[in-house]
Amino acid sequence: MALSAEVMDRVERTYTAMERAIASDEARRELMRQEARADFLDGFGRHRDRKTGIVVDVHENDKGTAQTRAKLRPDTLVLLLNRGAERGLSQEQYDAAHLIRSAVTIIIAGMGLKACSMERLGGPGRSDGETETEWAVRVQEDYNAWVDVMAERAAAAKLVRRDSRAWQAGPVLDIVVDGMTCNEVAAARCMRDKAIVPALRDALDLYNDLRKHGRKSANRGNLSA
């Protein structure tokens, strides 16, 4: 039995409406996917660049007027990462720096302490009475262990050479937490410019080594000035 023109017209309009609804839904889903990719952040507020594979900061919040934004400078860690492993930081060292930064942020939250004055605390801190995640506790424990070993190595290096600046946590925190440039740290700490990045790399390698293998790995480093 042949369908009437009215029924055929109704069917055609139904199919057209369905196609439009499907296209609209797919467009909405694609927009959501794009927004999700743009907003994807890991625990450190970063994402992995799909072209280079490098994990970088993606915070692009409005920081004031154009004049104010012009005065802001990029994160020293990002600059060092972009230099590459030979002249700056490797991806693993960059990640270690962000873990240290996260630990200090968690520990001093609400305490009003300056990062370079941080010493090892007896246990994990608390923020506004909230229960911390297992990750947050682990990050603080790793940080405290790293500070301890850095202090031990710094003391041993001074026994070899009294004016040694090796294995001092202060210069590392100046860059990682306070965002100082290598030149600023060299001037503030009376260190050679060329010694800053190697010292930073050594400290971050130590952090990664301790995090993976524990204190037994602390005896494998050199104590050069």
Side-chain angles (χ1 to χ4, degrees):
M1 178 179 178
L3 298 177
S4 65
E6 181 181 355
V7 173
M8 289 292 295
D9 181 61
R10 188 180 302 170
V11 171
E12 183 177 352
R13 280 183 289 155
T14 300
Y15 274 112
T16 300
M18 290 177 58
E19 290 175 352
R20 289 177 180 174
I22 292 172
S24 176
D25 184 65
E26 180 58 32
R28 180 179 63 82
R29 291 176 181 273
E30 178 59 25
L31 178 61
M32 292 174 63
R33 286 193 290 268
Q34 292 177 0
E35 291 177 347
R37 284 195 294 268
D39 294 338
F40 172 71
L41 303 175
D42 66 10
F44 311 125
R46 305 167 299 152
H47 80 147
R48 188 176 297 278
D49 188 284
R50 290 190 295 172
K51 293 182 179 179
T52 65
I54 294 177
V55 178
V56 296
D57 286 345
V58 293
H59 293 303
E60 295 178 356
N61 297 327
D62 185 6
K63 297 182 182 297
T65 65
Q67 292 81 0
T68 300
R69 293 195 297 271
K71 295 178 181 179
L72 297 176
R73 61 189 181 191
D75 190 341
T76 302
L77 295 179
V78 175
L79 296 177
L80 292 174
L81 176 65
N82 290 336
R83 288 185 187 179
E86 294 184 1
R87 298 180 54 248
L89 298 178
S90 68
Q91 184 69 64
E92 291 75 18
Q93 292 164 342
Y94 178 83
D95 289 343
H98 271 281
L99 286 171
I100 293 172
R101 178 180 289 178
S102 297
V104 173
T105 300
I106 293 170
I107 293 173
I108 69 176
M111 297 173 63
L113 297 178
K114 185 175 175 60
C116 66
S117 68
M118 281 294 298
E119 297 180 357
R120 186 191 188 286
L121 299 186
R126 292 292 181 266
S127 176
D128 299 328
E130 297 179 357
T131 301
E132 292 183 335
T133 64
E134 182 178 347
W135 177 86
V137 174
R138 170 67 189 278
V139 165
Q140 293 171 78
E141 291 175 346
D142 290 340
Y143 170 81
N144 281 336
W146 173 75
V147 171
D148 284 348
V149 175
M150 287 286 287
E152 292 171 2
R153 289 195 174 193
K158 283 188 174 295
L159 292 177
V160 177
R161 181 175 171 179
R162 292 184 59 186
D163 62 346
S164 173
R165 295 286 193 273
W167 304 109
Q168 293 187 356
V172 178
L173 296 178
D174 286 341
I175 295 173
V176 172
V177 182
D178 286 340
M180 294 173 64
T181 66
C182 295
N183 290 337
E184 289 172 342
V185 175
R189 300 278 181 174
C190 299
M191 299 173 66
R192 292 179 292 107
D193 290 351
K194 294 182 179 180
I196 301 299
V197 174
L200 176 62
R201 284 200 296 256
D202 286 344
L204 297 177
D205 285 340
L206 174 63
Y207 178 90
N208 280 329
D209 202 24
L210 288 169
R211 193 163 181 264
K212 293 177 182 178
H213 307 293
R215 291 291 295 266
K216 64 181 181 180
S217 64
N219 298 324
R220 296 204 298 264
N222 64 71
L223 299 177
S224 58

